[in-house]
Amino acid sequence: MTHQQNSAPSSSRPPRPKSPHFPPHNAPRVWFITTGTSPISIALARQVLGHGDYIVAGVLPIPFEKREGQSEDFRAFLEDVKRTERWRERLRVVGLDGRIVGQCQAAIAEAVEAFGRIDVLLGSTSEAIIGTVEELAQTSRTRSLVNETFETNFFANVNIIKAVLPTMRRRKNGHVIMLTGITGHLGTPGLGMYCSSQWAIEGYCDSLAYEIAPFNVKMSIVQANMEVNVLTNRMTSVPPLPEYSQAENPAPLAREIFSGLLDKLDQVNNPNAFLEGKSPTSESTTTSPDGFMHEPSVGDLLSSDTVTSLYPPLPSVVKASLIAETVHALTAIGGHDNPPARHIVGFEGVAAVKEKLKTTSEELEDFIEVSNAVDIARDDGQTPMMLDQSGS
């Protein structure tokens, strides 16, 4: 993926995505996808259904007319399934709010009832909250968003994993994939709570991997670029504090990064929306640097004085290019006999993580004497001595 945080999405034809690469297997696999309505999940479902696998797609149990953002894409996918005979019997849609333990257990039971087993669980439940640590502490509402972030990004994924493990353990076979981002490696200013939830679920999965390995259940963490997960799921922004404006704070905050991206995406969707020379007609009209009056942009919503949630308006061509590498990675890893414990998607993500690890290694060497100085040496001064259980 070549989509940069500070570059405009191109409306030209994207490079041809790589053909899906599936690991060898003796029978069709059964996938359970926790958030079936996301662009990544829909694209993945099309690929694996075309390959002959089965899909169980979790969706929030609310009517279509009350859904936000992604309902049209999912509705179009379901229409395609109806028109494709070999897909119809291979897809099951189940109601699932991962924050509710009982719904997780019921959804897994329904999947096993329908297809006999679950081979691959893809945990893809994620929402981004944009705001500095101080901004998230302003009101009871913003503070509650912190709990909601962990309920969605951490506990919802934990609940579905706990629900599926007994059936995988009994069969002594299964593969759990957790879709996160390089935000699980890298702190990002303005995304502190989102990054925290990513680090939390990765720590959980890293530990769980050792516990389930004796049952031949594999665990993989797939880290996409930051903008992949943020731009393909709901994002919520809290009111900004003036102390963290660009004029006062030079840190490259996520609010400014994604405001710029949203405006560029909106220009691709609505190239005539930028009206020059418009007279101000309401308080919502703003003045741009060119001196003309404009209606507030989509990016301006992230700087609203109220808590604001939205689904980024991704043009189809941008969406396909944005998620292509992640979908390719998931098809290549899912159900593999020897999958990677951690997979970073794309050149940019690999480069960013390598740079972080390099910095960590350099800091470790800079303070290695301080680290070694706290060791408790034996009388001979050679081998560190461990305290016994009594603490003596």
Side-chain angles (χ1 to χ4, degrees):
M1 185 183 67
T2 58
H3 181 75
Q4 297 283 349
Q5 293 179 7
N6 57 356
S7 63
S10 171
S11 59
S12 61
R13 180 177 298 177
R16 185 183 299 275
K18 299 176 182 177
S19 299
H21 176 72
F22 295 91
H25 51 90
N26 296 325
R29 296 163 302 174
V30 179
W31 294 67
F32 189 109
I33 302 177
T34 60
T35 307
T37 56
S38 75
I40 289 175
S41 298
I42 293 171
L44 176 65
R46 291 181 183 278
Q47 296 279 21
V48 300
L49 285 172
H51 183 64
D53 289 350
Y54 295 82
I55 288 285
V56 180
V59 300
L60 286 173
I62 57 177
F64 260 111
E65 59 270 16
K66 295 184 179 180
R67 293 181 183 275
E68 297 180 84
Q70 298 171 336
S71 61
E72 290 304 317
D73 287 348
F74 190 65
R75 192 193 302 271
F77 167 63
L78 292 181
E79 290 298 322
D80 288 344
V81 171
K82 290 179 182 178
R83 289 191 292 266
T84 309
E85 183 176 355
R86 65 188 299 258
W87 287 11
R88 286 198 297 267
E89 296 180 353
R90 294 175 178 267
L91 173 69
R92 176 65 62 93
V93 178
V94 297
L96 176 63
D97 184 339
R99 298 168 298 181
I100 302 174
V101 172
Q103 286 193 19
C104 293
Q105 295 170 338
I108 294 298
E110 186 173 347
V112 174
E113 176 68 21
F115 299 132
R117 65 186 190 277
I118 296 173
D119 298 306
V120 184
L121 170 69
L122 174 62
S124 56
T125 304
S126 174
E127 292 184 0
I129 180 170
I130 296 175
T132 66
V133 171
E134 279 196 282
E135 289 166 349
L136 284 163
Q138 293 180 77
T139 65
S140 59
R141 174 63 184 125
T142 58
R143 290 191 293 272
S144 71
L145 287 173
V146 176
N147 291 335
E148 292 174 16
T149 297
F150 276 83
E151 285 289 338
T152 300
N153 296 354
F154 179 73
F155 287 107
N157 288 306
V158 167
N159 290 340
I160 196 66
I161 290 174
K162 290 192 296 185
V164 80
L165 282 182
T167 182
M168 288 184 171
R169 177 167 44 78
R170 283 193 295 269
R171 293 184 59 244
K172 293 193 179 299
N173 187 58
H175 188 191
V176 178
I177 304 176
M178 186 55 54
L179 179 62
T180 64
I182 60 170
T183 42
H185 256 121
L186 312 172
T188 304
L191 280 177
M193 290 305 161
Y194 177 71
C195 292
S196 298
S197 67
Q198 301 281 283
W199 286 53
I201 193 62
E202 290 201 4
Y204 174 88
C205 290
D206 276 341
S207 301
L208 179 65
Y210 293 100
E211 299 172 5
I212 61 179
F215 305 111
N216 194 37
V217 179
K218 286 91 171 180
M219 167 66 73
S220 296
I221 295 171
V222 175
Q223 294 181 321
N225 270 2
M226 176 179 69
E227 63 266 33
V228 173
N229 266 346
V230 174
L231 291 177
T232 58
N233 291 289
R234 188 172 72 165
M235 63 168 62
T236 298
S237 180
V238 303
L241 288 172
E243 291 81 2
Y244 290 94
S245 67
Q246 286 183 299
E248 299 291 333
N249 190 330
L253 296 178
R255 188 190 309 278
E256 282 70 41
I257 293 172
F258 285 107
S259 289
L261 278 174
L262 288 175
D263 284 343
K264 289 163 184 171
L265 290 169
D266 193 43
Q267 289 174 23
V268 174
N269 280 325
N270 304 291
N272 297 321
F274 192 76
L275 304 177
E276 297 187 347
K278 181 176 179 180
S279 299
T281 57
S282 69
E283 293 181 358
S284 66
T285 309
T286 59
T287 303
S288 69
D290 58 15
F292 293 111
M293 309 305 294
H294 307 286
E295 293 295 324
S297 67
V298 177
D300 290 336
L301 294 175
L302 299 187
S303 297
S304 172
D305 58 3
T306 60
V307 173
T308 303
S309 296
L310 59 88
Y311 285 87
L314 292 175
S316 298
V317 66
V318 175
K319 186 187 306 180
S321 178
L322 182 66
I323 67 176
E325 289 188 349
T326 302
V327 173
H328 179 79
L330 292 172
T331 60
I333 291 172
H336 199 287
D337 286 339
N338 187 29
R342 186 180 298 267
H343 179 78
I344 300 169
V345 180
F347 171 81
E348 293 174 9
V350 171
V353 172
K354 279 186 174 180
E355 184 62 28
K356 171 64 181 294
L357 294 176
K358 177 184 176 184
T359 301
T360 302
S361 179
E362 290 172 349
E363 289 181 348
L364 180 65
E365 292 301 323
D366 288 342
F367 289 87
I368 192 69
E369 292 184 2
V370 178
S371 298
N372 293 341
V374 301
D375 286 339
I376 302 173
R378 290 175 47 174
D379 293 339
D380 57 13
Q382 295 180 358
T383 306
M385 177 180 65
M386 300 298 294
L387 295 176
D388 61 27
Q389 293 182 353
S390 66
S392 59

